[in-house]
């Protein structure tokens, strides 16, 4: 079952869609997170995050992100859902974030502020600040 879900997520990343975009996200927090995004349209993205932190060591987290509101052309509020421990599917991750692209000369480069709610054996709230770039 785990392999099937991972295969489906991987397939979503390589699917062809005329409106899709790829992105890279780096978050600075105790987890040292690197994320790869694939936007299917302006509302939904598939995300694969790599964590190298103190919470769960090295891990891979698949998730789906939904743009909740476009505050203006350069500011977006998003909500995601995914898993933190892929092998056991025991830990649920629900990030809520704000992504801002403030530079007119570099409209694909931005900043991310995020609160990641992690539900498992314990509840953990992980605040983070990150950089985003869309290709």
């Amino acid at each position: 079952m785990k392999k099937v879900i991972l295969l489906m997520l991987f397939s979503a990343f390589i699917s062809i869609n005329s409106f899709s975009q790829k992105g890279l996200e780096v978050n600075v927090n105790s987890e040292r997170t690197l994320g790869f995004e694939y936007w299917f349209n302006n509302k939904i993205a598939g995300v694969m995050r790599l964590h190298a932190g103190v919470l769960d060591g090295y891990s891979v987290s698949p998730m789906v992100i939904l743009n909740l509101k476009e505050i203006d052309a350069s500011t977006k509020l998003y909500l995601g859902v995914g898993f933190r421990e892929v092998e056991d599917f025991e830990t649920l991750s629900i990030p809520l974030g704000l992504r801002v692209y403030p530079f007119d000369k570099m409209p694909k480069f931005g900043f991310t502020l995020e609160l990641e709610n992690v539900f498992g054996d314990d509840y953990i709230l992980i605040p983070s600040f990150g950089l985003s770039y869309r290709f």
Side-chain angles (χ1 to χ4, degrees):
M1 180 67 170
K2 292 181 253 179
K3 290 181 182 179
V4 171
I5 292 172
L6 289 175
L7 182 61
M8 288 171 49
L9 285 169
F10 179 73
S11 298
F13 278 105
I14 61 171
S15 68
I16 297 173
N17 188 332
S18 62
F19 194 75
S20 61
Q21 295 183 17
K22 295 176 188 131
L24 177 64
E25 164 194 12
V26 178
N27 281 322
V28 178
N29 59 20
S30 62
E31 294 300 302
R32 296 180 307 255
T33 303
L34 175 65
F36 300 96
E37 304 173 346
Y38 187 84
W39 288 88
F40 300 106
N41 54 37
N42 274 335
K43 288 283 189 189
I44 299 173
V47 180
M48 195 66 80
R49 290 184 176 179
L50 307 171
H51 304 278
V54 296
L55 179 63
D56 53 5
Y58 294 95
S59 68
V60 177
S61 302
M63 66 178 57
V64 174
I65 287 183
L66 173 67
N67 267 338
L68 293 178
K69 181 173 177 112
E70 191 167 313
I71 297 168
D72 60 33
S74 65
T75 307
K76 296 170 181 31
L77 180 67
Y78 66 89
L79 179 71
V81 65
F83 297 102
R84 282 296 293 251
E85 297 174 12
V86 178
E87 287 123 19
D88 301 327
F89 292 104
E90 293 177 354
T91 307
L92 181 66
S93 170
I94 301 177
L96 175 64
L98 184 68
R99 191 163 286 163
V100 180
Y101 297 94
F103 306 113
D104 291 334
K105 293 186 178 184
M106 295 186 301
K108 295 182 179 194
F109 177 77
F111 301 100
T112 302
L113 294 172
E114 183 178 283
L115 286 175
E116 183 179 8
N117 298 278
V118 180
F119 301 92
D121 293 336
D122 296 317
Y123 171 75
I124 302 168
L125 182 64
I126 304 170
S128 67
F129 170 78
L131 304 174
S132 297
Y133 187 81
R134 283 193 184 174
F135 299 96

